[in-house]
Amino acid sequence: CAETLFFDYNRQHNVRIKVARIFNTYGPRMHPNDGRVVSNFIIQALKGEAITLFGDGSQTRAFCYVDDLIEGFVRLMATPDDVTGPVNLGNPVEMSVRQLAERVIDLTGSSSKIEYRPLPIDDPTQRCPDISYAKSTLGWEPKVALDNGLKRTIAYFDQLLSETKTRNETIVRLSA
């Protein structure tokens, strides 16, 4: 809907626009409770909780590290006015959600087990961008390998959880 409005304003009022479609971005500074699969899995693994997988985990996703996404935005914004998009910005390397859970468990050194729950009816079985237009028009493609991005994201959440635990312990001591 928003894209339609953008293109209408572009045509009717000659307003400059750039339209990017974002696919499964992850990285440091994500909110721990944002409900996205990467943050959910990392938080669960770091807490030693069960990793919740919906369905059998065979549905596929492609995960783009935030630095790569920002580079794509910068390149899109630097294009001439006639390049409006939409441009898919994401990582075209697919993996199953189960594989992601296994990678997170491995990279965190967690003892978490995978817990399967019913698959919501509206959950897509595949989500992977075609970035050929971004490659040809922007000269852009993601550079950060999944494991490297996950390690940085895990380090961020590990620090965040440690700070939260320390803050909570301080509050308990002060109220005692």
Side-chain angles (χ1 to χ4, degrees), residues 37 78 107 129 152 154 156 172:
V37 69
L107 292 170
R152 295 175 198 167
I154 289 165
Y156 167 77
V172 168

Side-chain angles (χ1 to χ4, degrees), residues 25-134:
T25 305
Y26 72 98
R29 299 206 174 124
M30 294 174 75
H31 193 282
N33 299 316
D34 71 2
R36 289 188 270 175
V37 69
V38 172
S39 53
N40 286 351
F41 286 0
I42 291 173
I43 294 293
Q44 290 169 334
L46 290 172
K47 289 182 170 182
E49 298 172 352
I51 305 289
T52 52
L53 262 183
F54 294 93
D56 63 3
S58 64
Q59 58 274 38
T60 62
R61 301 291 182 267
F63 303 98
C64 185
Y65 189 69
V66 66
D67 290 1
D68 287 331
L69 177 69
I70 298 302
E71 176 65 24
F73 283 154
V74 169
R75 289 184 186 210
L76 177 59
M77 296 308 292
T79 59
D81 289 354
D82 65 329
V83 177
T84 58
V87 177
N88 292 337
L89 297 177
N91 192 324
V93 179
E94 274 181 279
M95 71 183 322
S96 74
V97 178
R98 185 180 336 100
Q99 288 172 309
L100 175 68
E102 292 165 353
R103 289 303 308 136
V104 168
I105 290 169
D106 183 51
L107 292 170
T108 58
S110 178
S111 60
S112 294
K113 302 295 180 215
I114 296 176
E115 181 179 293
Y116 295 90
R117 297 201 179 152
L119 182 67
I121 20 179
D122 61 346
D123 193 46
T125 57
Q126 180 184 26
R127 186 153 161 76
C128 184
D130 173 354
I131 64 164
S132 55
Y133 184 67

